[in-house]
Amino acid sequence: MPGNKYNCNPSTPRTRLERLLRERERRKSIRSSHSNEELRDGNRQAENDSVFIVGENLSLPSEKDSLEGGATRAFFDGCERQDGRPSKQRLLVVANRLPVSAVRKGEDSWQLEISVGGLVSALLGVKEFDARWIGWAGVNVPDEIGQKALTKALAEKRCIPVFLDEEIVHQYYNGYCNNILWPLFHYLGLPQEDRLATTRSFQSQFDAYKKANQLFAEVVNQHYEEGDFVWCHDYHLMFLPKCLKEYNSNMKVGWFLHTPFPSSEIHRTLPSRSELLRSVLAADLVGFHTYDYARHFVSACTRILGLEGTPEGVEDQGNLTRVAAFPIGIDSDRFIRALELPQVQNHIKELKERFAGRKVMLGVDRLDMIKGIPQKILAFEKFLEENPNWRDKVVLLQIAVPTRTDVPEYQKLTSQVHEIVGRINGRFGTLTAVPIHHLDRSLDFHALCALYAVTDVALVTSLRDGMNLVSYEFVACQASKKGVLILSEFAGAAQSLGAGAILVNPWNITEVAASIGYALNMPADEREKRHQHNFMHVTTHTSQEWAATFVSELNDTIFEAQLRTRQVPPLLPIKEAVDHYSLSNNRLLILGFNAALTEPVNGLGRRGGQIREMEIKLHPQLKEPLKKLCADPKTTVVVLSGSDRSVLDDNFAEYNMWLAAENGMFLRLTKGQWMTTMPENLNMDWVDSVKHVFEYFTERTPGSHFELRETSLVWNYKYADVEFGRLQARDMLQHLWTGPISNASVDVVQGSRSVEVRAVGVTKGAAIDRILGEIVHNKGMKDPIDYVLCIGHFLPKDEDVYTFFEPELPCEPPVPVGRAMIANPVIPTVPRPLSSKVGSISLRLKKQRSFTIEKKANTIHGCLNPWRPTLRDRMSLQEGSSVLDLKGDNYFSCAVGRKRSNARYLLGSIDDVVTLLKELAEISPAVGCTNA
């Protein structure tokens, strides 16, 4: 029907998966429409490719990549549309280095050279975006004239420079990035040579790292336009997402790591572990090469920060940072086309003649500790020892490109590799041939493609590698040879090419040697099957597809976040709440305790504050405001908590207020005795059996504890190992439902780190009805309550307290004693329109049950806290019916830190609660009569 909001176009995607699938088909259509033009340009491009440098990639410093030349130049050709269509949406790519090398030729002139960079070529696949690059130019430009000239020259290449002085570069790049983060992320650990010096320099390096990230953020902010996507890259810029969000919380930010992310046990050794994790979590989408790295990141966030890990990512107070795996690829078509070029064919012919009659094995690596070059060569030596018949039939070609030659550790590695190669060649070589050809240099692109094409076995023995695209390039060039790939299981590519490759542990020299023998003797049909599997993956999961997929996921993540934002209550308008408070004559303040009024815990790490959190205390800054509020005769204060009575007595005995313990089941004015609001026939026979279960799981779960209350039992595993605690909680629930509570009238309430079993009907919303009646009776209240403020960090089960006072709710029938809990309808999370009519509260109070005081024994269900309530006659059903005149604009319900809530408004933290109550206290008289 026209105008029905539930009618929708059947073709409109309703789920995230449907949207992503549609976007994928759209990208394929765009790519197909450009295919003919790309083929024509590609042939010209391949003919012009001339230089290939294997080394520290400008944006992927731990990976070797060979995408450059014409593809790179195409990136800088501009994006002006020739067909008059609207311009593309902008994508700001932020990396440590620009894809351009700058050489100064004069005071105001620069010569620019396009650098190698796989990321540049990858971004060609994101055809619907206008990509701009922001990064460090790699040179120190101290003078303003030089900076202006360089900025102008780079602008023609759609690049924007970030200027860093030499000291920052030394501390930030050479220090923190390359000396701290890079080794740690590759499982090499923190520097050990001079621990004292490392400790002293660490803080200065970390400060420089943050300062450099801030400088990047300032440049991004200067060039950011509303609607731009910002894509941050690698471990150099882990602080950048947080800096960008501080500038503009609506900025669309993605972050991708091109190295491995270590397990949480490795990451937790980093002194700045928490700051880095929280900074990355400021991004909307966090990407990794493999699922393992993504899983390690989520695990670090849960174990170190204590946050909630979900299948979609990491959730913190309702904010979801999506975490996903996006395996990068190569431009496979470019390698395939290059094999047809005459110069490549000539190289292939020369190599076949040079190594005629011998099997060719190939290794292409940076000369780096993580590449496992010594392990590879030693495994080859063992193979030659065990297989004398292969000594003159196989040759290993090792391309080892020097990197960081000024670092002692790398100099030592170079000497070690040269020594091993010399020993093996001297042992197994002859006057006419040697088993290992070792080159300490890079090859041009055509020579490399030819070398890939003639190789029979490729050896990739990385000890730890983010991805390693050498394996992809080898597969792309093996259409005719169909060689075998031996791949380290510690390379990210193992998760993509593992089915077609021979996976090895590079530390196991014997295993690698045996794999070499198996590869050289592999039957042709098996080689064919393995190659076809890997070739299919390499040609479909290209670098362009990787970039397009990430940007598409980032776009959809923003869309999902906007949908979630619509369901998040707006922030409380504190001034409006205070103004309405000042104009009212009879106010009711209902305050939760835990995480709403408690003092912050400043322990060292998540476990440091365990003892303090278990002994919760009132926030010290709230003591004076509460005294003023409680002394105001126009204000009634109720603290409504799930804690037991002793906790509330310890914290609030000195105040003139009402205390409602155990979700409102026990009530007292601080000057009086405890009374119960429990229904008379509440069945608690299940307590002992549940208690035994909780004791058992507490013994089995280190760091957990349980609380025995008079109407419920709570098992808390906040300080236990997160994953183990969840498994134990799942096991506990299965045991409870099949045993002690299978036929009991109980509710099981699951918190983020707790399991609570309580009697049916024990909720804050169910209790507030009876509590309000007793307060009206006790005070002999005549003036209508015309203002209600309800603040808390309640479990979803207890959020019915928010809906209780909603003026527009329809009248509900009274809840039968001992029956199920009160329904918890979903209330719109935007403020309700102003209403002048009297709400349903008065009507509901006319129907409420009378409040009774029950005699209790000195012990209840094993509880050792004795108490003696005073007896009181039943209150009249009409006594409270005329005291509520609550209008829509005078009701403020606020959830503290919970963004998924039925409350009208949101308070971000306890600090906001302190601010609000202080402002309310300023209106209340400094001294006055009691509110009882």
Side-chain angles (χ1 to χ4, degrees), residues 375 379 460-463 486-490 502-513 515:
Q375 286 79 2
V460 178
T461 55
S462 304
L463 305 181
I486 297 178
L487 181 59
S488 167
E489 64 186 56
F490 301 119
I502 299 176
L503 295 184
V504 295
N505 178 356
W507 294 100
N508 189 337
I509 303 300
T510 302
E511 178 189 1
V512 178
S515 298

Side-chain angles (χ1 to χ4, degrees), residues 178-191:
N178 288 342
N179 196 43
I180 302 294
L181 291 183
W182 191 88
L184 189 76
F185 282 12
H186 290 84
Y187 291 79
L188 299 179
L190 296 174

